[in-house]
Amino acid sequence: MAQNIYDNPDFFSGYSRLPRQVHGLAGAPEWPALRAMFPEMAGKRAIDLGCGFGWVSRWLRENGARTVLGVDLSETMIARARETTADPAIDYRIADLETIELAEAAFDFAFSSLTFHYISDFDRLARMIHRSLTAGSHFVFSIEHPVFMAATHPHWIEDENGRKTWPVNRYAIEGERRTDWFAKGVVKHHRKIATTLNVLIRAGFIIEAIDEFAPSVQQISEDPALEDELERPMMLVVSSRR
């Protein structure tokens, strides 16, 4: 079973104050890059894996999806999603992505945002998602970039001139990483970029596009704190097709 850190009260309290949870998709700087990879949504049956508060699930319906299934391990997340959704075509369910079973050809689009780095057995999940999609369907997701999460102690290092450097070590040593983020001992699973892409290829997906998200000049002008994201990639965004 995946670690259910989101139901930890301290973690949930801090997480709920993030701009992307307060402002929704407008507070997620990578959202335009993700959205650009989406196919036309009209009439599609979509699944949102690790749906959180349901921001993307609601967007998918508002942009033409016929039905949306949002799944998340966190009871607290699902409760919030249900509270803020009044659309009967969106179904939210509690499910562990490590063990989830999905019906064959049940969906025409699959999406996930910043969830799969919590999953130990990504091979199994990728095969399950492939099985659940109809032929030609798209699978788009974001994860923490392997460069961002590889280090034993990920944090900025400043030199005598104040120049920031992000450490990269143990990159080729894949596996569990533990960090303190809103709560102690948050478990993540580091995989090299090649590993992530090869998992998709073995599962039967065709890689269509990859983006190592970096903020635009306009985004930085609106939020100067985003300039740090030019120093190292924080997110990997992938579009694939069954």
Side-chain angles (χ1 to χ4, degrees):
M1 180 176 178
Q3 182 192 43
N4 188 5
I5 194 66
Y6 287 83
D7 282 347
N8 175 306
D10 292 335
F11 186 97
F12 186 78
S13 175
Y15 182 82
S16 298
R17 292 194 294 270
L18 289 174
R20 66 181 60 240
Q21 303 309 330
V22 175
H23 304 294
L25 300 179
E30 78 281 7
W31 172 243
L34 276 166
R35 187 183 59 210
M37 294 181 175
F38 285 12
E40 191 67 34
M41 281 296 131
K44 285 185 167 49
R45 299 165 300 164
I47 184 168
D48 184 359
L49 297 148
C51 63
F53 290 173
W55 295 106
V56 174
S57 295
R58 290 186 290 273
W59 185 94
L60 293 170
R61 272 287 292 155
E62 291 165 2
N63 286 270
R66 174 156 52 104
T67 60
V68 180
L69 172 61
V71 297
D72 202 288
L73 179 61
S74 167
E75 294 182 21
T76 312
M77 291 285 191
I78 290 294
R80 177 73 65 86
R82 288 170 175 164
E83 288 171 3
T84 53
T85 302
D87 186 339
I90 302 176
D91 181 19
Y92 294 114
R93 300 180 193 171
I94 298 169
D96 184 355
L97 297 188
E98 294 279 16
T99 58
I100 194 170
E101 296 287 339
L102 300 172
E104 186 174 356
F107 305 102
D108 310 301
F109 177 69
F111 172 78
S112 182
S113 173
L114 299 176
T115 298
F116 295 154
H117 47 267
Y118 295 115
I119 302 301
S120 173
D121 193 351
F122 185 47
D123 287 80
R124 179 195 182 277
L125 180 57
R127 293 193 303 271
M128 182 59 62
I129 295 168
H130 186 272
R131 175 179 182 273
S132 76
L133 287 171
T134 52
S137 294
H138 285 79
F139 172 32
V140 177
F141 67 90
S142 65
I143 56 172
E144 286 190 0
H145 198 288
V147 166
F148 175 78
M149 66 177 296
T152 306
H153 300 292
H155 65 283
W156 290 110
I157 300 171
E158 288 195 27
D159 64 18
E160 62 276 10
N161 298 314
R163 177 62 184 264
K164 292 182 176 180
T165 299
W166 190 261
V168 179
N169 55 54
R170 300 177 69 218
Y171 184 83
I173 304 173
E174 299 183 316
E176 185 178 295
R177 299 290 191 271
R178 289 181 178 266
T179 60
D180 296 340
W181 183 55
F182 297 133
K184 290 187 176 296
V186 178
V187 177
K188 300 176 184 178
H189 298 276
H190 165 65
R191 285 176 283 269
K192 298 182 295 183
I193 295 174
T195 299
T196 295
L197 299 183
N198 284 329
V199 165
L200 296 174
I201 292 168
R202 286 197 301 270
F205 287 103
I206 298 168
I207 309 298
E208 293 211 318
I210 301 169
D211 189 7
E212 297 173 284
F213 170 74
S216 66
V217 173
Q218 180 178 343
Q219 285 178 315
I220 293 172
S221 69
E222 294 170 354
D223 183 1
L226 286 175
E227 189 167 9
D228 282 350
E229 305 309 323
L230 299 178
E231 299 293 334
R232 53 96 174 95
M234 185 179 181
M235 301 176 202
L236 181 68
V237 181
V238 180
S239 172
S240 62
R241 180 168 48 83
R242 186 192 190 284

